[in-house]
Structures are given as C-alpha cells and as structure tokens.
Amino acid sequence: MVTDELNARRENVEQQLVYAGLTMEKYLEDEGQTTEEFEADLDRRVRDAVAAQFVLDAIAKKEEIGVDQQDLSSHPVRRAQQSGQDPQEFANHMFEHNHIPDMVQEILRGKALATPVEGAVVKDASGNVVELANLLPDGSIGEPAAEVDAEAPADATEAAEQD
C-alpha cells in the first residue's frame, strides 16, 4: 500500500512539474533538496497519510458512516471545481478509469474526519473557546453572523412599500 502510494505521489509531483515547465532536478535545486531528502520526506508523508487512512477507515466503520447518492453527485462536482475542470469531464474520467471506489473511500474518510472535528472544542492562545462557525477561509476568526430578523423587511424598498 505504501509503495503504491509512494509511486502515485511521485508521479503526481512529476506531472505537476511538467505542467509548470520544470524538471525534477531543477525543482530539487530550487528547493535546496537532494533526491535522497526528497524521497525521505515523501516516504514520511506517505506513511503518515496511510496511517491516517487506517484511523479514518476505523472511525467510518465504528460510526457506520455511509455514502449516499447526494455524496456521489456533489463530491465530483466539488473536486472538479477545485481542480478547474469541467464537472462532466471529471466524472467521465472517474468512471472510465474505475476511480469510483477511490472516490467512495475519499468521501467516507472525509465524513469520518468530520466526526471528531465536529465534537472538538478549540481554544485560542488565551484559552477562549473559538466558535468554528466563525472560522474564515483564510484561517482567521470573524465575528458571529448577525441574526436575521424574520419580521424585518428585506430591504428599504420593501419597507417603503409597506408604509
């Protein structure tokens, strides 16, 4: 499993470098790494990722987490958007190359990860509880969303019309 993942990640890095117009040698030179250091770092990260996959698989099994039709519909669209691909082309690729089982595992692991994260209590450096609902995409904490008054008119025009 580790060997397969190492090979897949190495190929992925090499593909990304080709798209960026770089060679592995140039990349390593720019990063100040030797081939041995790169391989050792890649090996460490892969072993950590595989261990995490085992943990998430165990959580999914224990919590009896499943994948439904909505998951199978929305996940490929989200992945396609993240990679800048057309959702239909992405889905076709997943089917043509038999990546559906991998996608199901990815969905299950994502749901399994959400289980402990949702129950986590996060505190800032001062010990104050951080409301994760206020977490912004850049990692900073924003103000709580204002409560919307259901009785209040949606805009000034609507208010004027009611007068």
Side-chain angles (χ1 to χ4, degrees):
M1 189 171 181
V2 170
T3 301
D4 290 345
E5 186 66 21
L6 267 170
N7 291 334
R9 288 195 185 196
R10 191 177 298 108
E11 286 177 25
N12 188 297
V13 168
E14 290 170 356
Q15 278 183 335
Q16 289 177 359
L17 291 174
V18 168
Y19 290 139
L22 294 172
T23 63
M24 180 60 86
E25 292 76 23
K26 176 69 174 145
Y27 170 77
L28 292 174
E29 180 183 317
D30 291 348
E31 292 296 311
Q33 272 189 319
T34 66
T35 301
E36 293 77 20
E37 290 169 332
F38 172 81
E39 290 293 333
D41 184 51
L42 185 61
D43 184 74
R44 180 189 51 78
R45 287 188 284 151
V46 165
R47 289 181 187 280
D48 289 348
V50 169
Q53 288 174 2
F54 283 131
V55 170
L56 293 173
D57 290 348
I59 292 170
K61 184 176 182 178
K62 182 179 184 286
E63 298 295 324
E64 298 179 357
I65 296 171
V67 174
D68 60 24
Q69 188 59 44
Q70 176 63 33
D71 297 327
L72 291 172
S73 298
S74 61
H75 187 77
V77 171
R78 195 169 41 255
R79 285 278 311 275
Q81 290 171 339
Q82 290 170 345
S83 64
Q85 291 179 287
D86 174 69
Q88 188 60 52
E89 288 178 18
F90 182 84
N92 290 345
H93 174 82
M94 295 298 283
F95 281 106
E96 289 171 12
H97 294 92
N98 197 28
H99 292 305
I100 301 305
D102 297 332
M103 185 176 66
V104 169
Q105 274 306 125
E106 187 175 319
I107 294 167
L108 280 172
R109 289 174 181 148
K111 287 179 156 186
L113 179 60
T115 301
V117 169
E118 288 170 355
V121 175
V122 178
K123 296 183 180 182
D124 64 14
S126 303
N128 301 314
V129 173
V130 174
E131 291 297 327
L132 295 181
N134 301 335
L135 188 63
L136 300 174
D138 67 359
S140 64
I141 304 295
E143 293 299 317
E147 295 283 328
V148 177
D149 184 1
E151 301 294 320
D155 60 25
T157 307
E158 187 176 330
E161 290 173 359
Q162 290 180 358
D163 289 335

